[in-house]
Amino acid sequence: MIVTVTGGARSGKSSFAERWCMKHAPSGWYVATAQAFDEEMRLRIDRHRLQREGSRYPWTTLEEPLRLAGLLRELPGYDGFHPDSCVLVDCLTLWLSNVLLAEEAEGRAAEDALTREIARLQEAVASYPGTLVLVTNEVGSGIVPEYPLGRLYRDYAGILNQRIAAISDQVFLVTAGIPIELKSREYLL
């Protein structure tokens, strides 16, 4: 089963995704994509890690900022992987920004890399044999970014979200901490 959870910043999407996993699986793998580029982000990552470690729910945390598709393909081979476990990826848009910034830092064509990596992730998600919950930000509801890199990111975040939602069994939009399931309300032409 593939579940996508989207919403704005601080909407409650990660908390909802964690609760969803706790309700549907006896244990979970938490794939964190954030990178600590500064002290504030390092503290934020540490706080989230401690919250999971203090939880009664058995989370196993993996950190993967760039090779997300590869990790999903490798996960069933990990020692201790239980087929009934839920895998929670938090979050896709942070992963996308990591890929974009890595390509930009190397002076490579970011659009080609983003297209390729989104396709690889879509394929890995579609073929994943277990329960997968993917958290992502809905970034297209705001103003048009002033800079080309911001516009490129916004455009590809929309592409990523559409492709992952299309292959998901359930898609939740979380606003003000309230989840609404969208896929069952989908209007088909």
Side-chain angles (χ1 to χ4, degrees), residues 60-94:
T60 300
T61 300
L62 302 170
E63 296 181 8
E64 183 50 65
L66 294 168
R67 282 189 354 91
L68 189 53
L71 175 68
L72 291 177
R73 287 190 190 99
E74 296 165 3
L75 194 53
Y78 276 31
D79 290 337
F81 178 81
H82 190 279
D84 294 331
S85 294
C86 182
V87 175
L88 171 59
V89 177
D90 195 358
C91 86
L92 296 183
T93 42
L94 271 176

